[in-house]
Amino acid sequence: MPQWECAQAVDVIVITGNLVESRACRQGLHQNNAMATMGVLDEIVDTVRYPLADPSGPEVRAAVSRARSELTDSGCTVLRGFVRPELAETLRVQGEQMAPHAHHEVEQVNAYNIPLDTALPQNHPGRIVLMRGNAFVPRDRIPTDALIHQLYVDGLFQAFVAQCFGLAELHEFADPLAGLCLNVVASGSSHPWHFDTNEFTVSMLTQPAEVGGIFEYCPNIRTPEDEHFDDVRAVLTGSGRRFVRRLELRPGDLQLFRGRFSLHRVSPVGGARQRHTAIFAYTDRPGIIGTVERTRQLFGRVLEDHVVAAADAVRGDRLLD
């Protein structure tokens, strides 16, 4: 029997016996890599309901169609039971192990996360001060073998998310801290009303609060052309409940959200158990990095990448932030 093996995925082979075609070697490696990727998804995702390796199959087409319809209608959709139910406890434990690395700081903010001393008209909603008490575990504190990290970087997962958003492709948010993070909300705290700086947000609850911690959002309350400041102010002052929807989430549900245009928050948390949510941030073009101001608010530090990016920042819209 001839024996041979490949030396990585290149036109180099180690031969003992008959000659073999390097093309076949590379093909075998590609197949093995695809199988390895699918193996990761098979272990994490409920591939009976969401067979991501078959994007043209009826199950995926139906899930994508529903997601697109709901994103168009309300800017939000939830794929229930995306992660295998037997991994719910693993998600919880891994999140609990990461949580101590979160940056905790209670501070005054506004819904736009711009400096509070920004010159604004008297009745501008950006003048309304909110207390932010939630915390974030940055990407550089999340182990690469964690379930949420394996999902975040997986090509099939990214392609599926792109399909749901109606995009040809998505790119990982290049921010070294905010690309993937774990949001931690402890008892007595909340994640107050705000807009996201990136248009596409993907998240997954890994541990619910004992009391409260409900995701609330105002679908498409602003557009790229109109801030609708009066409507935003109504929500912030408690008189705009007609704009607010409440969403019950369960661990392992995958939430896709257009947070750039929909004001949203996590309601105050009560009880002994923290609320943990993995946030997978993607963009429709490569190389996007968060602002210095927002990064310092969320993580208590900035890296050289943020300073360099600020000098070359290009805005995708003219919204306040």
Side-chain angles (χ1 to χ4, degrees):
M1 294 285 290
Q3 296 179 354
W4 57 275
E5 60 181 0
C6 293
Q8 301 182 356
V10 294
D11 287 332
V12 178
I13 53 178
V14 179
I15 309 172
T16 58
N18 296 334
L19 291 176
V20 295
E21 177 69 34
S22 62
R23 183 186 308 165
C25 175
R26 294 196 306 274
Q27 182 180 10
L29 278 169
H30 290 320
Q31 291 173 344
N32 289 338
N33 288 338
M35 290 176 64
T37 299
M38 199 56 231
V40 171
L41 286 180
D42 274 336
E43 293 174 1
I44 300 175
V45 177
D46 184 347
T47 50
V48 174
R49 299 176 65 182
Y50 306 102
L52 305 191
D54 184 18
S56 60
E59 295 89 352
V60 171
R61 288 205 312 271
V64 168
S65 177
R66 181 175 63 82
R68 288 183 179 181
S69 176
E70 292 179 355
L71 284 166
T72 299
D73 175 60
S74 67
C76 182
T77 187
V78 178
L79 289 88
R80 299 290 184 183
F82 189 80
V83 169
R84 291 181 176 276
E86 61 267 26
L87 291 179
E89 179 63 9
T90 302
L91 276 174
R92 188 195 68 78
V93 170
Q94 290 182 348
E96 200 167 62
Q97 292 171 343
M98 299 173 208
H101 297 292
H103 170 69
H104 290 266
E105 183 175 345
V106 177
E107 62 178 333
Q108 294 182 326
V109 297
N110 53 42
Y112 302 94
N113 287 289
I114 58 175
L116 296 181
D117 59 359
T118 300
L120 298 171
Q122 185 63 35
N123 291 325
H124 194 289
R127 294 176 63 93
I128 298 175
V129 177
L130 308 168
M131 297 301 297
R132 186 180 69 79
N134 64 313
F136 289 90
V137 178
R139 181 174 184 175
D140 62 0
R141 296 292 185 270
I142 296 176
T144 57
D145 61 351
L147 295 181
I148 59 173
H149 189 280
Q150 292 183 66
L151 273 180
Y152 179 65
V153 301
D154 186 88
L156 289 176
F157 177 71
Q158 293 174 3
F160 173 70
V161 171
Q163 276 189 285
C164 290
F165 280 118
L167 300 171
E169 61 180 358
L170 280 179
H171 302 272
E172 292 179 25
F173 191 32
D175 193 295
L177 300 182
L180 170 67
C181 58
L182 185 77
N183 180 231
V184 177
V185 188
S187 181
S189 298
S190 69
H191 192 177
W193 291 110
H194 66 284
F195 292 102
D196 292 339
T197 53
N198 52 304
E199 186 173 344
F200 310 104
T201 300
V202 184
S203 63
M204 180 177 292
L205 184 73
T206 64
Q207 177 172 278
E210 289 183 4
V211 180
I214 303 301
F215 183 82
E216 299 183 331
Y217 67 110
C218 306
N220 301 317
I221 197 169
R222 70 176 182 178
T223 70
E225 297 77 27
D226 193 335
E227 291 273 12
H228 293 289
F229 287 132
D230 289 342
D231 294 342
V232 173
R233 181 178 178 80
V235 174
L236 299 181
T237 57
S239 61
R241 296 304 299 179
R242 65 189 182 279
F243 297 110
V244 180
R245 296 189 187 181
R246 293 167 58 86
L247 185 62
E248 295 281 353
L249 296 167
R250 298 186 294 266
D253 290 345
L254 184 68
Q255 181 186 9
L256 310 183
F257 187 57
R258 294 186 183 274
R260 185 74 177 134
F261 309 112
S262 298
L263 189 68
H264 55 289
R265 74 165 185 168
V266 173
S267 67
V269 165
R273 190 172 61 224
Q274 295 178 332
R275 182 188 192 271
H276 296 163
T277 305
I279 300 177
F280 312 79
Y282 297 104
T283 60
D284 59 354
R285 57 193 189 279
I288 305 300
I289 293 179
T291 65
V292 170
E293 178 75 22
R294 187 68 172 271
T295 301
R296 186 173 285 111
Q297 284 180 352
L298 299 182
F299 304 108
R301 59 189 168 109
V302 296
L303 304 180
E304 183 179 357
D305 305 56
H306 300 100
V307 178
V308 172
D312 301 321
V314 176
R315 293 301 301 254
D317 56 50
R318 298 177 62 84
L319 296 175
L320 186 57
D321 220 329

